Amino acid sequence: MLVHVSLGQAQTALDSRDPQIEGLIERMTLEEKAGQLTVLADEIRLLNPNTNPDANRRRADELLKEVRAGRVGALFNGRGVEGARVAQRTASEESRMKIPLMFGGDVIHGYRTVFPIPLGEAASFEPVLAERTARVTAIEATAGGLHWNFAPMVDIARDQRWGRVAEGAGEDAYLGKLFAAARVRGYRGEHLANADSMLATPKHFAAYGAVAGGMEYNTVDISPQTLREVHLPPFKAAFDAGALSTMSSFNEINGVPATANYELLTKILRGEWGFKGFVVSDYTSDMELIAHGYAANEREAAKLAFLAGVDMSMQSGLYIEHLPDLVKSGEVPLAALDRSVRRVLRIKKALGLFDDPYRSLDPAREAADLKRPEHRALAREAARRSIVLLKNRQNVLPLARDTKIALIGPFAEDRLHLHGPWTLFANDQEAVTVADGIAAALEDPTLLQVVQGSSFETPLRGGIDAAVQAANEADVVLLAIGETHDMSGEAQSRTDIVVPAAQQMLAEALAATGKPIVVLLRNGRALALQGAVRDADAILVTWFLGSETGNAIADVLFGAANPSARLPVSFPIEPGQQPFYYNHKRTGRPFIKGEAREFKARYREVPNEALYPFGFGLSYSTFEYAPINLSGTTLPWDGKLTVSTRITNTSDRAGEEVAQPYIHDRVASLTRPVRELKGFRKVKLEPGESIEVSFAIRRADLEFVGRDLKWIAEPGVFDVWIAPSSVAGTAKTFRLLAEHDAAATSARTGAD
Ligand code: NOJ
């Protein structure tokens, strides 16, 4: 199940010295060197000013002056080829060293064509899908004049209050690793030097998802084991897949801000993992060392960040301001400065910028590649494969195309909240609304009545009355409710992760009509569903689906697509359960269903379980799992066990099931989670078809980070499941034998 990949070829390829780059380094002044390590917001091209707080801003002409003086190495979040060519001409033809600029950007889930938010796409449990959407994202973003993507975000998010849950692959490290690697491959394409390839930046290094209380930018206090087991593996997977830059995170970890964290940025990243790319700070995160109380002033902040291993400084301007002097005074060794410059220049070279500074700055490609029909088709496919069906009482779904529908809710006709957070380069007007998608799918569009019912966060005068009337006239109510696009993403932590009160009131009023209700939930995180929303007849989790939202939802509603996605985050019963994640520890007094409730690890109000757990999702088909089989009861130290089951489609509809193997280590020298995902397989089954699904278990699958921070496995008893979710199924047990166990020797021959 575990795939141990050797260090990516991309990393080792950067090992030898390059005469062209060494020649440049020899001739560069200290200021020009610091310039290559300085990244600034692109004020030359149209910029979305609300993406980051105002800091160190300048006018376009001032910025061009800096570029000409060699005081800037890269620009970010600019849009359009024309302005980029002006900036590139200034750098590569008019500056003394003629070193081309690199253009970066936050292209998190699509450029012009918007795909589902990464969390939604992770629900597909199809890393290959993420690789394909990342590829198209790179094609469009490079057509728009970017080389360097500030993505993928690979932070593991175990607390749904954190707004940035939306940007990652959810709560599980195994799923996170696969999606991290897939996205890196997609951005990169076949060869980094290709005009449609992008440099990927797995971010935010590291443990940003572990901020206390889920509050944005907050402190992280974490055991080194959890850091290494949960938060670091997706980064390692991304680097193994060839990512050559990473971004340091805003948070501190156990008292040391990540942006000045030598252990993280140098010892682990370079020492243990052999990373050969460069590290960029997050936006002003070097300057924020002062606010953290870790640096006394800007000069010290620059020094601490740089010496810890941050090669490039984003937006603060601290490196260009202080690095030359820090080198002159001997506080920063010249060799260290040269090393960082070398890292950056090598990657510029690997991108092909020295051969052609105008790579990815081609107006013809910009005109042709941004609106290709196949990109929209992929957006529709990705969107429908991201929708999770949580509930389908009496098979209310799929709907017949002649159903009389009342589509109600603030998201019914809305256009501004289709794309979701982090879509700086797209055009809202180009996305398909829920109402338009449904109308297009109906035999007779007059069967659809659309009523807003409520605003996003405030009631609408007469809204509920109009909604109830429409509901009474319809066969079914489709309730389009949930979170707005600015309730998740950066700086959007929430305390109360529920559907906003005004919309909840609307839902309660509609429930009283007695009409069947299908909730179309819009969300950037797992929500605690309550009252009439929780009790609706059907619930579809539609995240933020992007350009093809309405069409994809209609595909699922009317059965053109059979839902096959599974939750990458647990939906809690109550918000107060956060942080909640399926792979929690057992505790000394675990609450076990059906057993005594008192003096157990539980809340007074609710059991400590999910309303809808990680890995859960329904289909219009039904599947049955046979009891699992193990190829033996012991796993020799260097051997292999096979766990298998037979899955049968017991319905009359073809559908896809996601088989998920989990393990639990019963007794260990450090306590282990109740379950851990170790693989998954999405299988398509025709009506009545059966398929055997098997997974190999090796010692590596049983490893954890031990007291000495090394990955170890310990002999002993393990539970194993193959199940349709993180709480389903019946376990079998096996024993991992010790290295020199006699039984191991005899079993090894047979087992291997
Ligand atoms: C801050 C965010 O944390 C980061 O993800 C983003 O890449 C930068 N801003 C640049 O916009």
Side-chain angles (χ1 to χ4, degrees), residues 51-52 76-77 106 150 164 167 203-204 208 247 250 282-283 314 422 490:
T51 313
N52 290 293
F76 70 96
N77 281 350
D106 291 290
F150 297 165
R164 305 200 79 167
E167 296 172 52
K203 67 184 187 185
H204 308 80
Y208 189 19
M247 188 185 290
F250 285 127
D282 201 342
Y283 190 96
M314 190 198 294
W422 286 112
E490 186 179 350

